[in-house]
Amino acid sequence: MPSVKDLLAQVKKVIREVDPAEAESRRDDALFLDVREADEYQQGAIPGALHLPRGFLEVQIEGVVPAKDRPIVVYCAGGSRSAFAAKSLQELGYSDVVSMTGGFNRWKDEGRQWATPRVLDAEQRNRYQRHLLLPEVGEAGQQKLLDSKVLLLGAGGLGSPAALYLAAAGVGTIGIVDMDVVDASNLQRQILHNLDSIGDRKVDSAKKALTALNPDVNVVTHDVRIGADNVLNLMEGYDLVVDGTDNFPTRYLVNDASLLTRTPVVHGSIFRFEGQATVFDPYNGPCYRCLVPEPPPPELAPSCAEAGVLGVLPGIIGSIQAVEAIKMLLGIGEPLVGRLLAYDTLAQEIRTFKVRRDPACPACGPDAGEIVIAEYDQLCMPHPKKAPATV
């Protein structure tokens, strides 16, 4: 039986090795792949390196690095594990792979740049372990979620499931805008709240529920009505908006602010037994005005308070909004940009429609004028007074 030393010698005959000096010359174009164990990586690593322990390499590498012609420099502590890893990568079809001789120890001893990486603590690794198993997320993606800031417009039917799943996923900062009070009639669908919350401000009830679910999350409450005087300030500093509002004036207002601030909006809407979801990514896809150029007359657009809504429906659409938000934050998958997802609960049918940018759009079209943030309360109001803020 061959020894490990014999196997290593055989492997080194079929791979290419480079010393740290040559590896360093390739930092601009090559991916540095660290195949050491987590405890080794935590003590120091080459800045910008992808950490993928040797034991997970074959299972996860294709999800993390799909382009098999990408140059890769593999390193471990001393150069042995990286040699075996390089051979495995070659067998998987990666065409430009080298192993760094001497590994990180030699790199560090020669005085080359290294740093102590930011890592999840033991409690976080346990909490998010199912995310960490996904190559498309992993530790880097989880840290990105923890650094992300999402603004939820409404702590109602759509905002409730979206907020719960974003908090559970570890989105680090969640802002919630709502000026309403929890009522018993909300509990049929607004699952952030419970009987003990009746009479409380919705933002306070939401914060209590979300921090109890995940103490990693910083919940910022905005107990205000969205208006032309504050919408830009509310959006400032957030990476993305999840829109759970229930009236056309607010949607137009949010759309215009989104275009000005270049903040993506994950849109959701529900009515009786049907729901819709899409993503408005400013100037990369259609905006809300491309989809709905003019508001329908009030008699054709009753609110859920007037027409009713199946309680489960906002849970489904709000969860879809949470999925789309996470995809946008991580830059994975194909978000619903330029596509409208329509869900019919009675037919149990989901359909997706393409939505294109309108070249004549007065908001995002090439000939659009200056965007002016203004109130739209005169548009499609179900009541003479203020429309409800959330579903």
Side-chain angles (χ1 to χ4, degrees):
M1 292 288 292
S3 64
V4 173
K5 185 177 180 180
D6 294 332
L7 291 174
L8 181 60
Q10 292 174 19
V11 165
K12 290 193 173 188
K13 291 179 181 178
V14 296
I15 65 166
R16 184 180 164 220
E17 294 183 292
V18 297
D19 60 23
E22 185 176 349
E24 188 172 37
S25 71
R26 304 188 64 181
R27 287 193 66 186
D28 290 338
D29 68 311
L31 169 69
F32 276 61
L33 179 61
D34 188 328
V35 296
R36 295 174 300 161
E37 296 303 310
D39 59 337
E40 297 174 282
Y41 176 75
Q42 291 172 12
Q43 295 174 17
I46 298 173
L50 170 65
H51 179 231
L52 189 56
R54 179 69 188 88
F56 296 98
L57 181 67
E58 289 83 357
V59 176
Q60 296 188 0
I61 187 62
E62 291 178 313
V64 180
V65 188
K68 294 195 173 182
D69 59 349
R70 184 172 184 183
I72 300 176
V73 175
V74 192
Y75 73 90
C76 60
S80 298
R81 283 171 290 174
S82 63
F84 286 108
K87 184 173 183 294
S88 292
L89 290 173
Q90 288 181 178
E91 292 172 346
L92 287 172
Y94 289 89
S95 59
D96 187 359
V97 183
V98 297
S99 171
M100 187 172 76
T101 59
F104 179 70
N105 292 338
R106 181 176 170 185
W107 175 282
K108 185 177 177 181
D109 290 344
E110 292 179 358
R112 304 184 192 280
Q113 185 183 11
W114 66 280
T116 302
R118 176 188 170 200
V119 296
L120 302 176
D121 60 34
E123 185 175 334
Q124 289 174 322
R125 295 190 67 83
N126 183 51
R127 175 183 289 273
Y128 305 118
Q129 61 175 297
R130 299 303 191 276
H131 273 179
L132 303 184
L133 294 172
L134 296 172
E136 295 84 354
V137 182
E139 184 156 345
Q142 188 59 57
Q143 288 176 345
K144 192 170 185 179
L145 289 177
L146 288 165
D147 290 337
S148 296
K149 299 180 179 182
V150 173
L151 180 67
L152 284 101
L153 304 183
L158 293 173
S160 288
L164 287 167
Y165 274 112
L166 290 174
V171 172
T173 299
I174 297 178
I176 302 178
V177 183
D178 202 308
M179 63 170 294
D180 206 354
V181 173
V182 180
D183 182 81
S185 66
N186 301 146
L187 304 184
Q188 167 250 15
R189 64 203 175 280
Q190 299 181 14
I191 57 175
L192 266 174
H193 317 296
N194 56 50
L195 284 171
D196 293 335
S197 306
I198 293 175
D200 293 344
R201 309 300 298 181
K202 281 189 178 178
V203 290
D204 295 334
S205 174
K207 182 171 184 175
K208 183 178 180 180
L210 297 179
T211 53
L213 175 64
N214 189 351
D216 281 346
V217 179
N218 174 34
V219 181
V220 181
T221 59
H222 304 278
D223 192 353
V224 296
R225 176 182 181 269
I226 304 169
D229 60 332
N230 63 9
V231 66
L232 293 176
N233 288 335
L234 286 171
M235 284 192 183
E236 185 178 3
Y238 287 97
D239 303 307
L240 181 143
V241 170
V242 174
D243 183 7
T245 59
D246 189 25
N247 62 85
F248 286 95
T250 305
R251 290 171 185 166
Y252 283 117
L253 184 66
V254 170
N255 179 76
D256 294 351
S258 164
L259 293 170
L260 278 176
T261 60
R262 305 277 178 140
T263 307
V265 174
V266 181
H267 169 79
S269 61
I270 55 175
F271 179 71
R272 290 173 52 82
F273 298 97
E274 299 178 0
Q276 297 179 342
T278 188
V279 176
F280 300 118
D281 190 9
Y283 302 104
N284 292 320
C287 75
Y288 186 72
R289 290 183 184 272
C290 295
L291 180 66
V292 188
E294 297 289 340
E299 62 272 15
L300 296 182
S303 69
C304 291
E306 297 170 311
V309 63
L310 184 68
V312 178
L313 176 60
I316 296 168
I317 300 299
S319 296
I320 290 172
Q321 288 181 278
V323 170
E324 293 301 304
I326 290 172
K327 286 160 59 180
M328 290 290 289
L329 294 171
L330 295 181
I332 61 174
E334 296 183 12
L336 289 171
V337 177
R339 293 183 295 149
L340 177 71
L341 183 148
Y343 175 57
D344 182 340
T345 60
L346 295 183
Q348 200 61 272
E349 182 177 69
I350 297 176
R351 301 180 67 185
T352 305
F353 304 90
K354 288 186 178 180
V355 182
R356 294 180 173 84
R357 286 185 66 183
D358 180 0
C361 178
C364 75
D367 299 322
E370 180 183 357
I371 296 175
V372 177
I373 299 298
E375 298 289 353
Y376 295 95
D377 281 348
Q378 74 279 9
L379 297 178
C380 192
M381 297 297 290
H383 297 288
K385 298 182 180 180
K386 177 173 65 72
T390 56
V391 177

